[in-house]
């Protein structure tokens, strides 16, 4: 019997990837939230990069083991738990891993968008996001990334779309405007139970509060 504990932060999009995967695979796990602004010593002792998510794996007869980096956690879960979220074919699997990395870059762009202090920084981040979604418009099969089957690429993009949903409640930026396939994908992901359950109900408020605390330029565009 293996016990899994996910060390988490409520609004972290990388944590959400792991939560979505665990829920899709119907695997039991515990969650421990930490305050990233005041990281506890026990966390710093087990987390080499000081970042969440961290997965603590406790197997009978073994010392607890730490797995860090969300993409690595997803791979570990794929190899050890039922329910396939990667394609069977090695080349397709490699492509999905490439798009997972692309998803991380989108999160980086969204981070830059959320901390932009002026219009020039905001424009640059916004253009980086829209250019990546424009590229995806030609790749997404629909309703999910690779068709009917939900995959890890979906688990990776769902938290990015959740951030955009929150952002667009106050400062419509049209980040997926004019992209029908990406927009439909965004809607399909928002409706998926594992995605809905992967973040707190007040996610949008928590996310926007962080933007307010950072005096984010994007909020100044709000009507
Ligand atoms: N590459 C990492 C990124 C994780 C990450 O950036 N987590 C953020 C929260 S969303 C974090 O823990 N930041 C704390 C810090 O950098 O001090 C992953 O995929 O797991």
């Amino acid at each position: 019997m293996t016990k899994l504990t996910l060390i988490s932060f409520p609004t972290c999009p990388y944590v959400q990837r792991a939560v979505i995967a665990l829920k899709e695979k119907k695997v039991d796990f515990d969650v421990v939230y930490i305050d990233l602004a005041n990281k506890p010593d026990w966390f710093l002792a087990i987390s080499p990069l000081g970042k969440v998510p961290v997965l603590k794996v406790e197997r009978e007869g073994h010392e607890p083991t730490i797995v860090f980096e969300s993409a690595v956690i997803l791979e570990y879960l794929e190899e050890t738990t039922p329910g396939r979220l990667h394609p069977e074919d090695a080349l397709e699997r490699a492509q999905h891993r490439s798009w997972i990395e692309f998803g991380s870059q989108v999160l980086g762009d969204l981070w830059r968008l959320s901390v932009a202090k002026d219009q020039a920084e905001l424009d640059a981040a916004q253009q980086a996001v829209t250019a990546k979604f424009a590229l995806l418009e030609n790749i997404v099969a629909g309703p999910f990334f690779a068709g009917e089957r939900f995959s890890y690429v979906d688990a990776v993009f769902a938290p990015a779309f959740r951030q955009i949903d929150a952002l667009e409640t106050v400062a419509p930026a049209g980040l997926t405007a004019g992209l029908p396939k990406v927009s439909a994908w965004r809607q399909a992901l928002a409706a998926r139970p594992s995605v809905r359950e992967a973040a707190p109900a007040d996610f949008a408020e928590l996310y926007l509060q962080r933007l307010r605390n950072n005096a984010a330029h994007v909020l100044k565009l709000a009507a």
Side-chain angles (χ1 to χ4, degrees):
M1 180 71 186
T2 300
K3 182 177 177 225
L4 300 176
T5 306
L6 194 65
I7 322 295
S8 304
F9 185 74
T11 54
C12 175
Y14 301 94
V15 166
Q16 288 173 45
R17 300 173 167 188
V19 175
I20 292 168
L22 288 157
K23 287 187 180 289
E24 287 289 333
K25 287 166 167 283
K26 300 187 178 17
V27 172
D28 282 337
F29 64 104
D30 288 343
V31 175
V32 173
Y33 291 108
I34 61 156
D35 180 0
L36 283 177
N38 190 13
K39 295 173 190 167
D41 288 341
W42 64 261
F43 172 70
L44 292 171
I46 62 167
S47 172
L49 294 175
K51 292 182 180 186
V52 292
V54 163
L55 185 70
K56 184 160 90 173
V57 181
E58 293 173 277
R59 294 169 300 165
E60 265 172 24
H62 293 79
E63 287 294 309
T65 303
I66 294 302
V67 183
F68 62 101
E69 283 296 314
S70 60
V72 179
I73 292 172
L74 298 186
E75 297 293 340
Y76 170 71
L77 293 174
E78 188 71 353
E79 289 175 11
T80 56
T81 62
R84 295 278 71 89
L85 290 173
H86 258 328
E88 295 296 329
D89 178 74
L91 186 54
E92 276 179 48
R93 205 158 53 239
Q95 286 182 301
H96 277 223
R97 290 181 178 127
S98 300
W99 289 110
I100 287 171
E101 174 54 30
F102 191 83
S104 296
Q105 303 289 325
V106 170
L107 284 178
D109 295 336
L110 286 172
W111 168 257
R112 277 186 286 286
L113 191 153
S114 74
V115 297
K117 290 281 184 267
D118 57 36
Q119 193 62 41
E121 283 180 14
L122 183 63
D123 286 345
Q126 222 166 300
Q127 276 163 22
V129 177
T130 49
K132 289 191 180 64
F133 283 145
L135 226 151
L136 281 162
E137 180 70 10
N138 299 318
I139 291 175
V140 174
F144 298 116
F145 176 75
E148 295 295 331
R149 265 183 77 171
F150 187 94
S151 73
Y152 271 145
V153 182
D154 298 296
V156 160
F157 277 88
F161 288 131
R162 193 196 308 277
Q163 285 189 359
I164 294 172
D165 289 343
L167 200 57
E168 291 184 350
T169 60
V170 290
L175 290 170
T176 61
L179 302 173
K181 284 168 82 181
V182 171
S183 298
W185 182 34
R186 176 178 166 184
Q187 277 180 12
L189 291 180
R192 185 85 174 176
S194 64
V195 171
R196 297 172 74 90
E197 294 163 11
D202 59 350
F203 172 86
E205 186 45 39
L206 294 171
Y207 177 76
L208 293 172
Q209 190 54 50
R210 204 188 68 208
L211 266 58
R212 283 185 212 111
N213 294 346
N214 288 337
H217 184 75
V218 66
L219 295 181
K220 297 193 186 118
L221 307 182

